[in-house]
Amino acid sequence: RAKRDGGGVARRFDPVLFAKAEQRRLAEQDLMRGLEAGEFEVHYQPIVDLDNGGITVGVEALVRWRHPEKGLVPPALFLDLAEQLGQVPRLGGWVLEEACRQALAWQDRHPGFEMNVNLSASQLTNPKLIDEVREVLERTGLPPQDLVLELTESVALTDLVESARVLSQLKELGVRIALDDFGTGFSSLSHLSTLPVDVVKIDRSFVQAMPETGGASVAEAVLHIARTFNLSPVAEGVEDAGQAERLKDLGAGRAQGYHFARPMPAIGVTELLDKQSAEVKLEL
Ligand code: C2E
Ligand code: MG
Ligand code: MG
Ligand code: MG
């Protein structure tokens, strides 16, 4: 048939394109099915206080897909598709509520325990976001100051003026804002004076590029910037004791990474906190 149309290349059956389109259709179907079936879970990665013996002071909520055949699927493998299907506001809303409930449960024995939740661009531009966050805080009873909403620079950058407006409204609710993967975006510095931000998360690429001994590093420069703008720094992706020690000496304050703990289901954090309290009691 394609031939009779004049041999137009675009019309000829292309098995590779066809296979790709088919794969994509199946992936979409699978994701919609997974959302319908409630196959998503929130895992939590501890955030530690470097100045206080490395105790866990909060966690970051990280979504995962418990796929019936593929097992635990990381967000890098489904978030883009979910975004294209317009499902991230819904999935993100569920993560937010789940995380706030869990934070309140931990606060029972650990007052002030903090919850960090990631927001995507489509959530930030969703006009319902402010009401949604307010309602989740009301429903769960989590003190707003213990919720930190994380945004990447690229998210905040899409429309700087609009982002600043939405972030101000969020801050009026009492929640705090973190700039995630800080330093990896464009013209990061100008954002710090435009956006109402409280926390900067130093991207793990800078943490991992720190020299073993002495020498200046981007991580150190970012920490200077954080201090200048009165922002609380959190170092991401700390993978070994040397990095932890250097960051502590540089005054990073807080850190997160495989060296301390990997993301884990809620029960793992509960056990970690129980163990931590038992150790504190022994020291007293
Ligand atoms: P992120 O917000 O920068 O989260 C940190 C990522 O680094 C997590 O990957 C975490 O598992 C990983 N990580 C933590 N410590 C280390 C370390 O020491 N070394 C290395 N190599 N990696 C470490 P994960 O869970 O795969 O999440 C990837 C990204 O997906 C997140 O990056 C975030 O941007 C996004 N994401 C995750 N959950 C959500 C969510 O609920 N909503 C939205 N909108 N985005 C999410
Ligand atoms: Mg994050
Ligand atoms: Mg990050
Ligand atoms: Mg990161």
Side-chain angles (χ1 to χ4, degrees):
R1 190 168 191 274
K3 278 231 169 84
R4 247 195 287 149
D5 285 340
V9 179
R11 282 176 179 238
R12 202 171 295 143
F13 177 74
D14 181 335
V16 174
L17 264 187
F18 179 79
K20 270 193 182 154
E22 186 61 9
Q23 218 173 32
R24 158 94 190 190
R25 197 181 59 79
L26 288 174
E28 286 178 6
Q29 257 177 17
D30 196 27
L31 184 59
M32 294 309 286
R33 184 199 51 71
L35 285 165
E36 230 23 79
E39 290 174 355
F40 292 80
E41 299 179 2
V42 185
H43 285 202
Y44 301 93
Q45 184 177 33
I47 297 173
V48 306
D49 183 350
L50 291 169
D51 301 322
N52 220 330
I55 63 156
T56 299
V57 290
V59 288
E60 176 174 3
L62 296 159
V63 70
R64 269 103 182 84
W65 181 3
R66 180 74 64 181
H67 194 281
E69 286 134 36
K70 296 176 187 157
L72 202 61
V73 183
L77 298 184
F78 63 82
L79 271 185
D80 279 349
L81 186 59
E83 195 76 83
Q84 285 159 30
L85 292 173
Q87 296 298 315
V88 165
R90 172 177 162 212
L91 180 62
W94 174 79
V95 169
L96 180 68
E97 176 131 14
E98 182 74 12
C100 289
R101 267 187 213 297
Q102 188 56 62
L104 196 75
W106 285 322
Q107 286 203 347
D108 202 30
R109 298 180 61 187
H110 306 274
F113 194 73
E114 288 173 20
M115 178 57 70
N116 282 45
V117 178
N118 294 285
L119 286 188
S120 75
S122 62
Q123 287 175 281
L124 195 70
T125 53
N126 184 347
K128 295 197 192 108
L129 178 71
I130 308 297
D131 285 337
E132 204 177 288
V133 174
R134 183 192 298 110
E135 282 161 22
V136 166
L137 289 169
E138 282 168 8
R139 270 203 298 277
T140 61
L142 184 70
Q145 68 269 20
D146 298 328
L147 176 63
V148 182
L149 298 174
E150 299 190 2
L151 294 150
T152 61
E153 292 172 73
S154 54
V155 166
L157 217 149
T158 318
D159 182 345
L160 204 55
V161 176
E162 176 63 7
S163 296
R165 195 184 63 81
V166 176
L167 294 186
S168 303
Q169 283 182 294
L170 285 171
K171 284 190 59 85
E172 277 169 32
L173 300 176
V175 305
R176 284 177 294 150
I177 309 293
L179 265 192
D180 205 349
D181 306 341
F182 183 72
T184 58
F186 295 94
S187 54
S188 331
L189 291 177
S190 61
H191 299 171
L192 288 178
S193 50
T194 315
L195 296 170
V197 173
D198 308 277
V199 175
V200 286
K201 299 193 76 173
I202 303 167
D203 192 69
R204 70 162 177 263
S205 58
F206 302 132
V207 169
Q208 279 156 20
M210 281 192 303
E212 293 282 331
T213 47
S217 64
V218 177
E220 189 176 358
V222 173
L223 283 165
H224 278 298
I225 292 163
R227 268 192 289 277
T228 307
F229 286 90
N230 234 328
L231 303 165
S232 314
V234 179
E236 288 192 292
V238 180
E239 291 186 352
D240 62 56
Q243 290 165 353
E245 196 55 42
R246 265 167 279 142
L247 286 162
K248 185 186 168 185
D249 292 343
L250 292 172
R254 289 181 172 193
Q256 186 180 346
Y258 296 166
H259 171 63
F260 303 104
R262 292 195 173 243
M264 58 183 100
I267 179 77
V269 176
T270 305
E271 285 166 7
L272 190 145
L273 289 175
D274 284 350
K275 209 174 127 213
Q276 195 169 277
S277 323
E279 278 163 11
V280 170
K281 282 211 189 83
L282 273 180
E283 279 164 24
L284 297 175

